[in-house]
Amino acid sequence: MPSICRVISAASIAEPFKEEISKGIASLGFKPVLRAFLANNDPSAREYAAWTAKTATDMGFNFYLEEVRQAHLEEAIREANNDRTVNGIMNYWPVFPNLQDDLRLQQLVTPLKDVEGFSSIFIENLYSNIRYFDPPTNLIQSILPATPLALVKALEHVGVYNAVLDRGTRLYGKTITIVNRSDIVGRPLAALCANDGATVYSVDVSGVRRYTRDRLQLSCHRWEEVDMTMRQAASQSDVVICGVPSEQFKFPSSSLKDGAVAINFSSAKNFDKDTIKEHASIYIPTIGKVTITMLLRNL
Amino acid sequence: MPSICRVISAASIAEPFKEEISKGIASLGFKPVLRAFLANNDPSAREYAAWTAKTATDMGFNFYLEEVRQAHLEEAIREANNDRTVNGIMNYWPVFPNLQDDLRLQQLVTPLKDVEGFSSIFIENLYSNIRYFDPPTNLIQSILPATPLALVKALEHVGVYNAVLDRGTRLYGKTITIVNRSDIVGRPLAALCANDGATVYSVDVSGVRRYTRDRLQLSCHRWEEVDMTMRQAASQSDVVICGVPSEQFKFPSSSLKDGAVAINFSSAKNFDKDTIKEHASIYIPTIGKVTITMLLRNL
């Protein structure tokens, strides 16, 4: 069977943003400084740090990776918050064994240097569909967390966002299934897409939720539990986005609507690369390079 | 209820084509000649002729309207076929009371001057998904009939065609309901959209047909009767296109999928202009100006 599916690389999605950011830096007259803290022993975090370093340096940033002990991290962040030569701060997660400690750490980074978009103000804005940091002046855009933002940019790149419609409504009429409801990606992504007008089916082991703005009549999304399976949700969707961190999970390709868009953001391969191409019109197998670009764009 | 629907005018869709055509004419060094024959007494045909005249002249064509008796029309067309100063020929339909006579007349116009796209060779190419007049050289595009082409251009304009995909597959994943199955518009449009990858529900009083290329595995579309109502077809569709020539017919707005695209090509108003805007993301109330522009583009 000849494949009619277009496979789109993260690099090709990131490219125009990298150019835009490099030009922006060149016009600044100085190299913005990103200070990244590595306080865990996860080899994949180290790999990710090396990749961020290369991308940031190539694009004209000054990137400083600082390895710190967990016990010294709070102090290091406070110092970076107050250091005028530091423009952006990021961490490699998880830091602590306890999620609560990581969440508290995220709020320690000043919003003015938070490139990850985890500050409460940004998260609240995201869920409430508030696009600016400084309403009602609205000169400074609210920062969005890098992976959900990368996935939004991927959806724009492949034409799921309809540029004919007004900003903030460009997903109206589209149905999107997101298999992952983590606080870090799946849940904010569901909210972002629903706020832009999509009907979103958010899937995790506990069940399926539908996110909607009710024909754009609500100022931001609401959600409800629905009695559907992942397959039923997917078969009605123009886009299926998977982020299940397990090599065991495979999305059943045959439940994709013919001609739909399939996107994987998990480090595991959630789609079977052969059968998905028999059904999808567009397949984006990874998103990591867009995520790093969005971190730097936030900076 | 605040309307979130964008109403798109035919003029705004036609505009970039008009500019392109005017530039093309300017670079030719002569004014192409369109000879149009009016052999009926239909006041709306006369109105249409006046409108074609204005558009053609504004864009730099020489437009000659010739009123002829039905009995003299064949001779007039033969003469125009052989007249080297005539570049394009068109008629205002219907000419004869009997459809068969009109169909024969359409085949009398040489394909090399047929701007309406009714020559058998063009129609066969359209249905067979053959894009060129001169295979295998493929230097000359096959002419498409003006109204179906205008509707394709409207779908491109509003982003239903996905420019990320290869040409010829850009509707893959989209579902389109077309209420009209005339030989002149609805049926060729269903074939064009299915050939470009869409699933098309073609609706007329006799029932509903589904047109598909079976996940692009077929080189051109096939169709089958399906046991569905217009409402069922519409509720699954990203686009509903209506062309019912009757003031009595109104498409039921509530059966449109929220956020879908609604397009009317009938001279009657097939959509209720208020309620359709509660459901559609995009509404195109008329297409006539695009049709005339496509006639001139064919020329």
Side-chain angles (χ1 to χ4, degrees), chain A residues 70 73-74 92-108 118 181-185 187:
Chain A
Q70 287 176 7
L73 186 53
E74 283 196 25
Y92 293 94
W93 310 99
V95 172
F96 295 107
N98 188 331
L99 176 66
Q100 297 304 319
D101 291 331
D102 275 5
L103 292 176
R104 214 178 55 78
L105 203 63
Q106 287 169 1
Q107 300 315 315
L108 200 63
F118 290 152
R181 204 188 296 134
S182 67
D183 280 324
I184 244 166
V185 187
R187 190 187 298 244

Side-chain angles (χ1 to χ4, degrees), chain B residues 12 20 36 56 81 87 104-106 113 122 124 133 135 143 154 158 173 196 198 227 231 236 253 263 265 268 275 285:
Chain B
S12 69
E20 177 195 87
N81 277 344
N87 304 102
R104 216 178 54 78
L105 203 63
Q106 287 170 0
K113 300 188 182 181
F122 298 140
E124 289 309 309
F133 183 65
I143 295 293
V158 299
D196 279 340
D227 187 19
R231 281 175 180 269
Q236 296 178 24
S253 296
I263 306 178
F265 69 83
T275 58

Side-chain angles (χ1 to χ4, degrees), chain B residues 16-31:
Chain B
F17 295 104
K18 290 172 86 166
E19 279 177 30
E20 177 195 87
I21 297 164
S22 294
K23 274 187 200 160
I25 293 175
S27 73
L28 275 180
F30 72 97
K31 289 182 163 211

